[in-house]
Amino acid sequence: MEYVKELLKDTPLKATPQRLAILKEIYEAGHIDLESIYKNLSNSFPSMSLATVYKNIHTLKKYGVIKELAISGSKSKYEIAKQKPHHHLICKVCGSVIDIEIDTSFLKKQLKDLKDFEVTNCDIYCYGICSRCKNKTSG
Amino acid sequence: MEYVKELLKDTPLKATPQRLAILKEIYEAGHIDLESIYKNLSNSFPSMSLATVYKNIHTLKKYGVIKELAISGSKSKYEIAKQKPHHHLICKVCGSVIDIEIDTSFLKKQLKDLKDFEVTNCDIYCYGICSRCKNKTSG
DNA sequence: ATAATTGCAAATTTTTTGCAGGTTC
DNA sequence: GAACCTGCAAAAAATTTGCAATTAT
């Protein structure tokens, strides 16, 4: 619980048990959608209301504690924001998300000189099939 | 209208006036969200129902005629799928989307040898501020 | 003590569905 | 004429809101 509490230290947000439980869920899952957070917590935290999850996702995103991954064709997933810069592999079959480090110096080079747009950050989503699903299909 | 009709030729989809109007709207807008399609068409096509827009977006996406851009923090936008490969600049202020061609050879090189994932395609979303919004802010 | 947060229930918004009538190929 | 598509209205799902009671700092 201490790790997730740390995540709030630069924000005005209070460390309520509900909020910490939500953060812990995201932290442990790596990437998780809102409804799954709620369902998973319903066991360990029966009083948790869905509205609280919504409100927290909104607030945590607003303060940059978590980051939303908007995934084409399925629900958004959330991850802890403060991590080493990385991008994402997304399995088209099972929907799982895997972090990947990509050297983006080439990209920055290409974007630096745009004259009608000033880029601050890029998200790279790589779609394909994970080894687990691939083995199921071909095996 | 002929251009958008062409887009359906490799699919089993019928060229209804509603469907063509939706495609034309997406084609002309470049990138547009579902509700805007409906609202824009409500003038020129008063009988168009929202359910028809939903059903068409779903079907057109399924057959690869259009592509969904999942944008973190706002509604998905749709674009015509058959275009020269490109990626997207997204203005954080006004939400506008601009196509950009990026040389992704660097990326492919890095993704080719992953052993636990087989990448089929990548989407690059570059966030920042467009010149129009920048001029408003600083001017 | 103060301001923020929760949980609930209700309201709102978004998306899906079933079906009768009409249309495309 | 067969299969598909539309529009409507209703249903279902997702998200937001207001507020009284509670809790963190």
mmCIF file with all atom_site columns, all heavy atoms in Angstrom, chain B residues 63-85:
data_model
loop_
_atom_site.group_PDB
_atom_site.id
_atom_site.type_symbol
_atom_site.label_atom_id
_atom_site.label_alt_id
_atom_site.label_comp_id
_atom_site.label_asym_id
_atom_site.label_entity_id
_atom_site.label_seq_id
_atom_site.pdbx_PDB_ins_code
_atom_site.Cartn_x
_atom_site.Cartn_y
_atom_site.Cartn_z
_atom_site.occupancy
_atom_site.B_iso_or_equiv
_atom_site.pdbx_formal_charge
_atom_site.auth_seq_id
_atom_site.auth_comp_id
_atom_site.auth_asym_id
_atom_site.auth_atom_id
_atom_site.pdbx_PDB_model_num
ATOM 1   N N   . TYR B 1 63 ? -15.890 -4.198 -42.090 1.00 0.00 ? 63 TYR B N   1
ATOM 2   C CA  . TYR B 1 63 ? -15.393 -4.544 -43.417 1.00 0.00 ? 63 TYR B CA  1
ATOM 3   C C   . TYR B 1 63 ? -14.174 -3.728 -43.844 1.00 0.00 ? 63 TYR B C   1
ATOM 4   O O   . TYR B 1 63 ? -13.785 -3.740 -45.011 1.00 0.00 ? 63 TYR B O   1
ATOM 5   C CB  . TYR B 1 63 ? -16.515 -4.432 -44.448 1.00 0.00 ? 63 TYR B CB  1
ATOM 6   C CG  . TYR B 1 63 ? -17.473 -5.594 -44.362 1.00 0.00 ? 63 TYR B CG  1
ATOM 7   C CD1 . TYR B 1 63 ? -18.716 -5.459 -43.758 1.00 0.00 ? 63 TYR B CD1 1
ATOM 8   C CD2 . TYR B 1 63 ? -17.100 -6.847 -44.840 1.00 0.00 ? 63 TYR B CD2 1
ATOM 9   C CE1 . TYR B 1 63 ? -19.576 -6.540 -43.637 1.00 0.00 ? 63 TYR B CE1 1
ATOM 10  C CE2 . TYR B 1 63 ? -17.949 -7.937 -44.726 1.00 0.00 ? 63 TYR B CE2 1
ATOM 11  C CZ  . TYR B 1 63 ? -19.185 -7.782 -44.127 1.00 0.00 ? 63 TYR B CZ  1
ATOM 12  O OH  . TYR B 1 63 ? -20.023 -8.856 -44.007 1.00 0.00 ? 63 TYR B OH  1
ATOM 13  N N   . GLY B 1 64 ? -13.633 -2.995 -42.905 1.00 0.00 ? 64 GLY B N   1
ATOM 14  C CA  . GLY B 1 64 ? -12.403 -2.269 -43.204 1.00 0.00 ? 64 GLY B CA  1
ATOM 15  C C   . GLY B 1 64 ? -12.552 -1.092 -44.142 1.00 0.00 ? 64 GLY B C   1
ATOM 16  O O   . GLY B 1 64 ? -11.576 -0.652 -44.752 1.00 0.00 ? 64 GLY B O   1
ATOM 17  N N   . VAL B 1 65 ? -13.750 -0.568 -44.266 1.00 0.00 ? 65 VAL B N   1
ATOM 18  C CA  . VAL B 1 65 ? -13.950 0.590  -45.135 1.00 0.00 ? 65 VAL B CA  1
ATOM 19  C C   . VAL B 1 65 ? -13.535 1.859  -44.400 1.00 0.00 ? 65 VAL B C   1
ATOM 20  O O   . VAL B 1 65 ? -12.984 2.780  -44.991 1.00 0.00 ? 65 VAL B O   1
ATOM 21  C CB  . VAL B 1 65 ? -15.423 0.700  -45.589 1.00 0.00 ? 65 VAL B CB  1
ATOM 22  C CG1 . VAL B 1 65 ? -15.628 1.919  -46.472 1.00 0.00 ? 65 VAL B CG1 1
ATOM 23  C CG2 . VAL B 1 65 ? -15.851 -0.570 -46.305 1.00 0.00 ? 65 VAL B CG2 1
ATOM 24  N N   . ILE B 1 66 ? -13.797 1.868  -43.109 1.00 0.00 ? 66 ILE B N   1
ATOM 25  C CA  . ILE B 1 66 ? -13.354 3.002  -42.287 1.00 0.00 ? 66 ILE B CA  1
ATOM 26  C C   . ILE B 1 66 ? -12.486 2.479  -41.148 1.00 0.00 ? 66 ILE B C   1
ATOM 27  O O   . ILE B 1 66 ? -12.470 1.281  -40.858 1.00 0.00 ? 66 ILE B O   1
ATOM 28  C CB  . ILE B 1 66 ? -14.537 3.810  -41.710 1.00 0.00 ? 66 ILE B CB  1
ATOM 29  C CG1 . ILE B 1 66 ? -15.375 2.937  -40.773 1.00 0.00 ? 66 ILE B CG1 1
ATOM 30  C CG2 . ILE B 1 66 ? -15.390 4.375  -42.832 1.00 0.00 ? 66 ILE B CG2 1
ATOM 31  C CD1 . ILE B 1 66 ? -16.470 3.708  -40.050 1.00 0.00 ? 66 ILE B CD1 1
ATOM 32  N N   . LYS B 1 67 ? -11.811 3.413  -40.501 1.00 0.00 ? 67 LYS B N   1
ATOM 33  C CA  . LYS B 1 67 ? -10.893 3.055  -39.429 1.00 0.00 ? 67 LYS B CA  1
ATOM 34  C C   . LYS B 1 67 ? -11.210 3.946  -38.242 1.00 0.00 ? 67 LYS B C   1
ATOM 35  O O   . LYS B 1 67 ? -11.505 5.132  -38.414 1.00 0.00 ? 67 LYS B O   1
ATOM 36  C CB  . LYS B 1 67 ? -9.463  3.311  -39.936 1.00 0.00 ? 67 LYS B CB  1
ATOM 37  C CG  . LYS B 1 67 ? -8.349  2.708  -39.132 1.00 0.00 ? 67 LYS B CG  1
ATOM 38  C CD  . LYS B 1 67 ? -7.045  2.765  -39.955 1.00 0.00 ? 67 LYS B CD  1
ATOM 39  C CE  . LYS B 1 67 ? -5.856  2.245  -39.163 1.00 0.00 ? 67 LYS B CE  1
ATOM 40  N NZ  . LYS B 1 67 ? -5.493  3.094  -38.005 1.00 0.00 ? 67 LYS B NZ  1
ATOM 41  N N   . GLU B 1 68 ? -11.150 3.379  -37.073 1.00 0.00 ? 68 GLU B N   1
ATOM 42  C CA  . GLU B 1 68 ? -11.433 4.149  -35.864 1.00 0.00 ? 68 GLU B CA  1
ATOM 43  C C   . GLU B 1 68 ? -10.151 4.692  -35.255 1.00 0.00 ? 68 GLU B C   1
ATOM 44  O O   . GLU B 1 68 ? -9.194  3.946  -35.066 1.00 0.00 ? 68 GLU B O   1
ATOM 45  C CB  . GLU B 1 68 ? -12.129 3.240  -34.841 1.00 0.00 ? 68 GLU B CB  1
ATOM 46  C CG  . GLU B 1 68 ? -12.416 3.934  -33.519 1.00 0.00 ? 68 GLU B CG  1
ATOM 47  C CD  . GLU B 1 68 ? -13.040 2.995  -32.492 1.00 0.00 ? 68 GLU B CD  1
ATOM 48  O OE1 . GLU B 1 68 ? -13.283 1.813  -32.808 1.00 0.00 ? 68 GLU B OE1 1
ATOM 49  O OE2 . GLU B 1 68 ? -13.279 3.451  -31.360 1.00 0.00 ? 68 GLU B OE2 1
ATOM 50  N N   . LEU B 1 69 ? -10.145 5.974  -34.965 1.00 0.00 ? 69 LEU B N   1
ATOM 51  C CA  . LEU B 1 69 ? -9.038  6.545  -34.200 1.00 0.00 ? 69 LEU B CA  1
ATOM 52  C C   . LEU B 1 69 ? -9.494  6.678  -32.763 1.00 0.00 ? 69 LEU B C   1
ATOM 53  O O   . LEU B 1 69 ? -10.387 7.472  -32.466 1.00 0.00 ? 69 LEU B O   1
ATOM 54  C CB  . LEU B 1 69 ? -8.661  7.931  -34.711 1.00 0.00 ? 69 LEU B CB  1
ATOM 55  C CG  . LEU B 1 69 ? -8.255  8.083  -36.170 1.00 0.00 ? 69 LEU B CG  1
ATOM 56  C CD1 . LEU B 1 69 ? -7.792  9.517  -36.420 1.00 0.00 ? 69 LEU B CD1 1
ATOM 57  C CD2 . LEU B 1 69 ? -7.167  7.102  -36.519 1.00 0.00 ? 69 LEU B CD2 1
ATOM 58  N N   . ALA B 1 70 ? -8.913  5.895  -31.883 1.00 0.00 ? 70 ALA B N   1
ATOM 59  C CA  . ALA B 1 70 ? -9.258  5.968  -30.467 1.00 0.00 ? 70 ALA B CA  1
ATOM 60  C C   . ALA B 1 70 ? -8.381  7.030  -29.838 1.00 0.00 ? 70 ALA B C   1
ATOM 61  O O   . ALA B 1 70 ? -7.163  6.878  -29.791 1.00 0.00 ? 70 ALA B O   1
ATOM 62  C CB  . ALA B 1 70 ? -9.034  4.614  -29.809 1.00 0.00 ? 70 ALA B CB  1
ATOM 63  N N   . ILE B 1 71 ? -9.005  8.099  -29.398 1.00 0.00 ? 71 ILE B N   1
ATOM 64  C CA  . ILE B 1 71 ? -8.237  9.231  -28.895 1.00 0.00 ? 71 ILE B CA  1
ATOM 65  C C   . ILE B 1 71 ? -8.422  9.380  -27.398 1.00 0.00 ? 71 ILE B C   1
ATOM 66  O O   . ILE B 1 71 ? -9.543  9.555  -26.916 1.00 0.00 ? 71 ILE B O   1
ATOM 67  C CB  . ILE B 1 71 ? -8.658  10.527 -29.618 1.00 0.00 ? 71 ILE B CB  1
ATOM 68  C CG1 . ILE B 1 71 ? -8.435  10.360 -31.123 1.00 0.00 ? 71 ILE B CG1 1
ATOM 69  C CG2 . ILE B 1 71 ? -7.879  11.716 -29.078 1.00 0.00 ? 71 ILE B CG2 1
ATOM 70  C CD1 . ILE B 1 71 ? -9.029  11.475 -31.957 1.00 0.00 ? 71 ILE B CD1 1
ATOM 71  N N   . SER B 1 72 ? -7.316  9.308  -26.692 1.00 0.00 ? 72 SER B N   1
ATOM 72  C CA  . SER B 1 72 ? -7.349  9.407  -25.236 1.00 0.00 ? 72 SER B CA  1
ATOM 73  C C   . SER B 1 72 ? -8.016  10.702 -24.796 1.00 0.00 ? 72 SER B C   1
ATOM 74  O O   . SER B 1 72 ? -7.644  11.783 -25.214 1.00 0.00 ? 72 SER B O   1
ATOM 75  C CB  . SER B 1 72 ? -5.912  9.346  -24.726 1.00 0.00 ? 72 SER B CB  1
ATOM 76  O OG  . SER B 1 72 ? -5.874  9.410  -23.325 1.00 0.00 ? 72 SER B OG  1
ATOM 77  N N   . GLY B 1 73 ? -9.042  10.565 -23.965 1.00 0.00 ? 73 GLY B N   1
ATOM 78  C CA  . GLY B 1 73 ? -9.696  11.743 -23.428 1.00 0.00 ? 73 GLY B CA  1
ATOM 79  C C   . GLY B 1 73 ? -10.815 12.319 -24.257 1.00 0.00 ? 73 GLY B C   1
ATOM 80  O O   . GLY B 1 73 ? -11.474 13.261 -23.836 1.00 0.00 ? 73 GLY B O   1
ATOM 81  N N   . SER B 1 74 ? -11.027 11.783 -25.469 1.00 0.00 ? 74 SER B N   1
ATOM 82  C CA  . SER B 1 74 ? -12.195 12.258 -26.206 1.00 0.00 ? 74 SER B CA  1
ATOM 83  C C   . SER B 1 74 ? -12.775 11.154 -27.072 1.00 0.00 ? 74 SER B C   1
ATOM 84  O O   . SER B 1 74 ? -12.274 10.034 -27.088 1.00 0.00 ? 74 SER B O   1
ATOM 85  C CB  . SER B 1 74 ? -11.867 13.502 -27.019 1.00 0.00 ? 74 SER B CB  1
ATOM 86  O OG  . SER B 1 74 ? -10.918 13.204 -28.006 1.00 0.00 ? 74 SER B OG  1
ATOM 87  N N   . LYS B 1 75 ? -13.844 11.481 -27.766 1.00 0.00 ? 75 LYS B N   1
ATOM 88  C CA  . LYS B 1 75 ? -14.537 10.468 -28.543 1.00 0.00 ? 75 LYS B CA  1
ATOM 89  C C   . LYS B 1 75 ? -13.703 9.943  -29.707 1.00 0.00 ? 75 LYS B C   1
ATOM 90  O O   . LYS B 1 75 ? -12.886 10.664 -30.268 1.00 0.00 ? 75 LYS B O   1
ATOM 91  C CB  . LYS B 1 75 ? -15.806 11.078 -29.143 1.00 0.00 ? 75 LYS B CB  1
ATOM 92  C CG  . LYS B 1 75 ? -16.832 11.493 -28.130 1.00 0.00 ? 75 LYS B CG  1
ATOM 93  C CD  . LYS B 1 75 ? -18.067 11.989 -28.884 1.00 0.00 ? 75 LYS B CD  1
ATOM 94  C CE  . LYS B 1 75 ? -18.799 13.046 -28.080 1.00 0.00 ? 75 LYS B CE  1
ATOM 95  N NZ  . LYS B 1 75 ? -19.817 13.759 -28.859 1.00 0.00 ? 75 LYS B NZ  1
ATOM 96  N N   . SER B 1 76 ? -13.979 8.725  -30.079 1.00 0.00 ? 76 SER B N   1
ATOM 97  C CA  . SER B 1 76 ? -13.322 8.156  -31.247 1.00 0.00 ? 76 SER B CA  1
ATOM 98  C C   . SER B 1 76 ? -13.712 8.932  -32.494 1.00 0.00 ? 76 SER B C   1
ATOM 99  O O   . SER B 1 76 ? -14.835 9.423  -32.607 1.00 0.00 ? 76 SER B O   1
ATOM 100 C CB  . SER B 1 76 ? -13.755 6.705  -31.441 1.00 0.00 ? 76 SER B CB  1
ATOM 101 O OG  . SER B 1 76 ? -13.135 5.869  -30.499 1.00 0.00 ? 76 SER B OG  1
ATOM 102 N N   . LYS B 1 77 ? -12.757 9.039  -33.402 1.00 0.00 ? 77 LYS B N   1
ATOM 103 C CA  . LYS B 1 77 ? -13.071 9.632  -34.698 1.00 0.00 ? 77 LYS B CA  1
ATOM 104 C C   . LYS B 1 77 ? -12.868 8.574  -35.760 1.00 0.00 ? 77 LYS B C   1
ATOM 105 O O   . LYS B 1 77 ? -12.141 7.603  -35.554 1.00 0.00 ? 77 LYS B O   1
ATOM 106 C CB  . LYS B 1 77 ? -12.186 10.849 -34.962 1.00 0.00 ? 77 LYS B CB  1
ATOM 107 C CG  . LYS B 1 77 ? -12.463 11.978 -33.982 1.00 0.00 ? 77 LYS B CG  1
ATOM 108 C CD  . LYS B 1 77 ? -11.799 13.278 -34.411 1.00 0.00 ? 77 LYS B CD  1
ATOM 109 C CE  . LYS B 1 77 ? -12.154 14.378 -33.421 1.00 0.00 ? 77 LYS B CE  1
ATOM 110 N NZ  . LYS B 1 77 ? -11.732 15.710 -33.874 1.00 0.00 ? 77 LYS B NZ  1
ATOM 111 N N   . TYR B 1 78 ? -13.503 8.787  -36.892 1.00 0.00 ? 78 TYR B N   1
ATOM 112 C CA  . TYR B 1 78 ? -13.422 7.813  -37.968 1.00 0.00 ? 78 TYR B CA  1
ATOM 113 C C   . TYR B 1 78 ? -12.830 8.445  -39.212 1.00 0.00 ? 78 TYR B C   1
ATOM 114 O O   . TYR B 1 78 ? -13.036 9.627  -39.482 1.00 0.00 ? 78 TYR B O   1
ATOM 115 C CB  . TYR B 1 78 ? -14.819 7.235  -38.235 1.00 0.00 ? 78 TYR B CB  1
ATOM 116 C CG  . TYR B 1 78 ? -15.361 6.573  -36.998 1.00 0.00 ? 78 TYR B CG  1
ATOM 117 C CD1 . TYR B 1 78 ? -16.121 7.292  -36.076 1.00 0.00 ? 78 TYR B CD1 1
ATOM 118 C CD2 . TYR B 1 78 ? -15.041 5.250  -36.702 1.00 0.00 ? 78 TYR B CD2 1
ATOM 119 C CE1 . TYR B 1 78 ? -16.555 6.704  -34.891 1.00 0.00 ? 78 TYR B CE1 1
ATOM 120 C CE2 . TYR B 1 78 ? -15.475 4.648  -35.528 1.00 0.00 ? 78 TYR B CE2 1
ATOM 121 C CZ  . TYR B 1 78 ? -16.228 5.385  -34.630 1.00 0.00 ? 78 TYR B CZ  1
ATOM 122 O OH  . TYR B 1 78 ? -16.645 4.803  -33.464 1.00 0.00 ? 78 TYR B OH  1
ATOM 123 N N   . GLU B 1 79 ? -12.108 7.635  -39.970 1.00 0.00 ? 79 GLU B N   1
ATOM 124 C CA  . GLU B 1 79 ? -11.543 8.103  -41.242 1.00 0.00 ? 79 GLU B CA  1
ATOM 125 C C   . GLU B 1 79 ? -11.692 6.996  -42.273 1.00 0.00 ? 79 GLU B C   1
ATOM 126 O O   . GLU B 1 79 ? -11.889 5.826  -41.929 1.00 0.00 ? 79 GLU B O   1
ATOM 127 C CB  . GLU B 1 79 ? -10.057 8.481  -41.072 1.00 0.00 ? 79 GLU B CB  1
ATOM 128 C CG  . GLU B 1 79 ? -9.155  7.299  -40.748 1.00 0.00 ? 79 GLU B CG  1
ATOM 129 C CD  . GLU B 1 79 ? -7.665  7.671  -40.649 1.00 0.00 ? 79 GLU B CD  1
ATOM 130 O OE1 . GLU B 1 79 ? -7.322  8.855  -40.651 1.00 0.00 ? 79 GLU B OE1 1
ATOM 131 O OE2 . GLU B 1 79 ? -6.854  6.730  -40.550 1.00 0.00 ? 79 GLU B OE2 1
ATOM 132 N N   . ILE B 1 80 ? -11.609 7.370  -43.539 1.00 0.00 ? 80 ILE B N   1
ATOM 133 C CA  . ILE B 1 80 ? -11.633 6.388  -44.614 1.00 0.00 ? 80 ILE B CA  1
ATOM 134 C C   . ILE B 1 80 ? -10.376 5.529  -44.500 1.00 0.00 ? 80 ILE B C   1
ATOM 135 O O   . ILE B 1 80 ? -9.278  6.061  -44.304 1.00 0.00 ? 80 ILE B O   1
ATOM 136 C CB  . ILE B 1 80 ? -11.659 7.101  -45.992 1.00 0.00 ? 80 ILE B CB  1
ATOM 137 C CG1 . ILE B 1 80 ? -12.895 8.003  -46.113 1.00 0.00 ? 80 ILE B CG1 1
ATOM 138 C CG2 . ILE B 1 80 ? -11.608 6.081  -47.134 1.00 0.00 ? 80 ILE B CG2 1
ATOM 139 C CD1 . ILE B 1 80 ? -14.224 7.286  -46.079 1.00 0.00 ? 80 ILE B CD1 1
ATOM 140 N N   . ALA B 1 81 ? -10.542 4.236  -44.629 1.00 0.00 ? 81 ALA B N   1
ATOM 141 C CA  . ALA B 1 81 ? -9.402  3.345  -44.405 1.00 0.00 ? 81 ALA B CA  1
ATOM 142 C C   . ALA B 1 81 ? -8.410  3.333  -45.565 1.00 0.00 ? 81 ALA B C   1
ATOM 143 O O   . ALA B 1 81 ? -7.205  3.350  -45.361 1.00 0.00 ? 81 ALA B O   1
ATOM 144 C CB  . ALA B 1 81 ? -9.895  1.931  -44.125 1.00 0.00 ? 81 ALA B CB  1
ATOM 145 N N   . LYS B 1 82 ? -8.934  3.303  -46.785 1.00 0.00 ? 82 LYS B N   1
ATOM 146 C CA  . LYS B 1 82 ? -8.029  3.184  -47.924 1.00 0.00 ? 82 LYS B CA  1
ATOM 147 C C   . LYS B 1 82 ? -7.336  4.488  -48.254 1.00 0.00 ? 82 LYS B C   1
ATOM 148 O O   . LYS B 1 82 ? -7.792  5.284  -49.069 1.00 0.00 ? 82 LYS B O   1
ATOM 149 C CB  . LYS B 1 82 ? -8.797  2.698  -49.156 1.00 0.00 ? 82 LYS B CB  1
ATOM 150 C CG  . LYS B 1 82 ? -9.050  1.205  -49.140 1.00 0.00 ? 82 LYS B CG  1
ATOM 151 C CD  . LYS B 1 82 ? -9.833  0.761  -50.363 1.00 0.00 ? 82 LYS B CD  1
ATOM 152 C CE  . LYS B 1 82 ? -10.286 -0.681 -50.214 1.00 0.00 ? 82 LYS B CE  1
ATOM 153 N NZ  . LYS B 1 82 ? -11.317 -1.054 -51.194 1.00 0.00 ? 82 LYS B NZ  1
ATOM 154 N N   . GLN B 1 83 ? -6.221  4.682  -47.619 1.00 0.00 ? 83 GLN B N   1
ATOM 155 C CA  . GLN B 1 83 ? -5.443  5.891  -47.862 1.00 0.00 ? 83 GLN B CA  1
ATOM 156 C C   . GLN B 1 83 ? -3.987  5.488  -47.816 1.00 0.00 ? 83 GLN B C   1
ATOM 157 O O   . GLN B 1 83 ? -3.631  4.421  -47.364 1.00 0.00 ? 83 GLN B O   1
ATOM 158 C CB  . GLN B 1 83 ? -5.690  6.922  -46.750 1.00 0.00 ? 83 GLN B CB  1
ATOM 159 C CG  . GLN B 1 83 ? -7.101  7.479  -46.707 1.00 0.00 ? 83 GLN B CG  1
ATOM 160 C CD  . GLN B 1 83 ? -7.225  8.592  -45.666 1.00 0.00 ? 83 GLN B CD  1
ATOM 161 O OE1 . GLN B 1 83 ? -6.522  9.593  -45.731 1.00 0.00 ? 83 GLN B OE1 1
ATOM 162 N NE2 . GLN B 1 83 ? -8.106  8.412  -44.711 1.00 0.00 ? 83 GLN B NE2 1
ATOM 163 N N   . LYS B 1 84 ? -3.169  6.387  -48.285 1.00 0.00 ? 84 LYS B N   1
ATOM 164 C CA  . LYS B 1 84 ? -1.730  6.170  -48.159 1.00 0.00 ? 84 LYS B CA  1
ATOM 165 C C   . LYS B 1 84 ? -1.426  6.019  -46.659 1.00 0.00 ? 84 LYS B C   1
ATOM 166 O O   . LYS B 1 84 ? -1.994  6.756  -45.843 1.00 0.00 ? 84 LYS B O   1
ATOM 167 C CB  . LYS B 1 84 ? -0.996  7.391  -48.731 1.00 0.00 ? 84 LYS B CB  1
ATOM 168 C CG  . LYS B 1 84 ? 0.501   7.242  -48.816 1.00 0.00 ? 84 LYS B CG  1
ATOM 169 C CD  . LYS B 1 84 ? 1.145   8.545  -49.294 1.00 0.00 ? 84 LYS B CD  1
ATOM 170 C CE  . LYS B 1 84 ? 0.881   8.848  -50.766 1.00 0.00 ? 84 LYS B CE  1
ATOM 171 N NZ  . LYS B 1 84 ? 1.774   9.931  -51.278 1.00 0.00 ? 84 LYS B NZ  1
ATOM 172 N N   . PRO B 1 85 ? -0.571  5.090  -46.285 1.00 0.00 ? 85 PRO B N   1
ATOM 173 C CA  . PRO B 1 85 ? -0.272  4.909  -44.859 1.00 0.00 ? 85 PRO B CA  1
ATOM 174 C C   . PRO B 1 85 ? 0.136   6.231  -44.210 1.00 0.00 ? 85 PRO B C   1
ATOM 175 O O   . PRO B 1 85 ? 0.922   6.978  -44.786 1.00 0.00 ? 85 PRO B O   1
ATOM 176 C CB  . PRO B 1 85 ? 0.903   3.924  -44.865 1.00 0.00 ? 85 PRO B CB  1
ATOM 177 C CG  . PRO B 1 85 ? 0.787   3.186  -46.153 1.00 0.00 ? 85 PRO B CG  1
ATOM 178 C CD  . PRO B 1 85 ? 0.201   4.158  -47.131 1.00 0.00 ? 85 PRO B CD  1
#
